[in-house]
Amino acid sequence: MMSLTETNLLQIAKKQYAFKLEAYMGIFFTLIVVQALGILFSMNGIMSSGTTTGEMFVSAKVFAGDMIITLTMIWVLFLALNMTIDDYRRADFVFVTNRLSSNLSSIGFVLTAALVGGVTASFGGVITRVLAYYSYGSENIASQHFFILPQELLMSIMATTLYIILISAIGYFFGTLIQIYRGFIIILPTIFIGLVIMGTRGVGNIGVLLPEAVKFFTNESSLVLFAIKVIVTALVLFYSSILISNRLEV
């Protein structure tokens, strides 16, 4: 049985969550704009190739929702970062609250945005295919792998949503670190760029950290194991963010 304190905490967190959904509803409009741009960029194909046979030149384009998913990840990353800044946190104090309820409501809002982003990004890939089908004509479409089966779409939605949840957790964690020490605004991107360069060149043991971390998720063929990896990692990052934010002054 939950104590009165736990009940009050959950009730306050729910009120703050509902408040944020209403107050920041405009953020979802930016998601629509971002994904519309992704669809527009994808209409030219994410990959193209051509070959010449005698006097005939044949070109091929690959259509997918990769650009839409990438832009959605960037969107949720900045959203998660923004939810940790002072202006957003001060809005919580219109309620009788503490750091824990504030974090719980913010994390709930970020996860909601990640869920919406994951689902809509996956359907954005479908929209891209439909537009390509009618723009280029059915006679110019290779049907193999072009049409998505319902079960494939469901798997895509689940995988995409998990990736976006992971990105949101990373963004929220980094945003919390920046609130502790503003110098992390420069330090964290510098470390990231350094790891990317070292990983590309294969320099030292540290250089493989980022590529191996990426492979840890992207090379997982089992959706169940991938989900476990993402959920555990996200929980650790969000929990660490809550612990770190306790050091912030109210």
Side-chain angles (χ1 to χ4, degrees):
M1 182 179 296
M2 290 190 298
S3 66
L4 181 60
T5 301
E6 291 174 329
T7 303
N8 288 337
L9 174 64
L10 291 176
Q11 289 176 347
I12 293 171
K14 287 179 181 178
K15 290 180 180 179
Q16 289 175 318
Y17 170 74
F19 170 77
K20 288 173 182 177
L21 276 180
E22 182 177 354
Y24 306 142
M25 189 59 67
I27 289 176
F28 293 100
F29 175 75
T30 64
L31 174 62
I32 295 174
V33 174
V34 166
Q35 292 183 342
L37 288 173
I39 293 173
L40 180 63
F41 295 151
S42 300
M43 283 305 298
N44 196 39
I46 62 169
M47 186 185 302
S48 61
S49 61
T51 184
T52 301
T53 304
E55 297 181 355
M56 181 182 295
F57 176 75
V58 179
S59 63
K61 292 182 179 181
V62 177
F63 294 92
D66 295 26
M67 178 63 70
I68 306 168
I69 294 172
T70 300
L71 291 177
T72 302
M73 287 180 175
I74 295 172
W75 172 82
V76 83
L77 176 65
F78 281 99
L79 169 62
L81 286 168
N82 284 333
M83 291 304 297
T84 64
I85 66 177
D86 292 338
D87 289 343
Y88 281 85
R89 288 186 179 276
R90 289 194 189 100
D92 288 328
F93 294 102
V94 297
F95 301 92
V96 178
T97 184
N98 55 35
R99 290 288 176 192
L100 180 56
S101 65
S102 175
N103 275 298
L104 289 176
S105 60
S106 293
I107 291 170
F109 179 77
V110 169
L111 289 176
T112 300
L115 177 61
V116 173
V119 173
T120 54
S122 298
F123 279 106
V126 176
I127 294 173
T128 300
R129 284 175 166 82
V130 171
L131 292 176
Y133 184 85
Y134 287 104
S135 296
Y136 292 92
S138 59
E139 67 278 4
N140 296 315
I141 299 294
S143 60
Q144 187 176 11
H145 304 303
F146 185 82
F147 300 101
I148 303 177
L149 297 174
Q151 58 268 32
E152 293 176 342
L153 178 59
L154 179 61
M155 294 280 284
S156 173
I157 291 173
M158 294 173 66
T160 301
T161 302
L162 286 168
Y163 272 118
I164 294 176
I165 287 175
L166 179 61
I167 296 298
S168 70
I170 293 172
Y172 197 86
F173 177 72
F174 284 169
T176 304
L177 288 178
I178 291 171
Q179 295 308 306
I180 293 293
Y181 177 56
R182 299 291 181 178
F184 278 125
I185 295 177
I186 298 175
I187 295 172
L188 292 176
T190 302
I191 293 175
F192 177 78
I193 293 172
L195 289 175
V196 170
I197 294 174
M198 293 175 68
T200 303
R201 296 179 178 179
V203 180
N205 294 328
I206 297 179
V208 301
L209 287 178
L210 185 60
E212 289 301 317
V214 172
K215 289 179 183 178
F216 177 73
F217 295 100
T218 58
N219 286 0
E220 182 55 65
S221 58
S222 169
L223 182 60
V224 174
L225 292 178
F226 175 66
I228 292 173
K229 288 180 179 181
V230 170
I231 291 171
V232 171
T233 304
L235 285 174
V236 170
L237 290 172
F238 282 132
Y239 182 69
S240 299
S241 300
I242 291 174
L243 293 180
I244 293 171
S245 70
N246 287 334
R247 297 182 55 187
L248 295 171
E249 295 180 1
V250 179

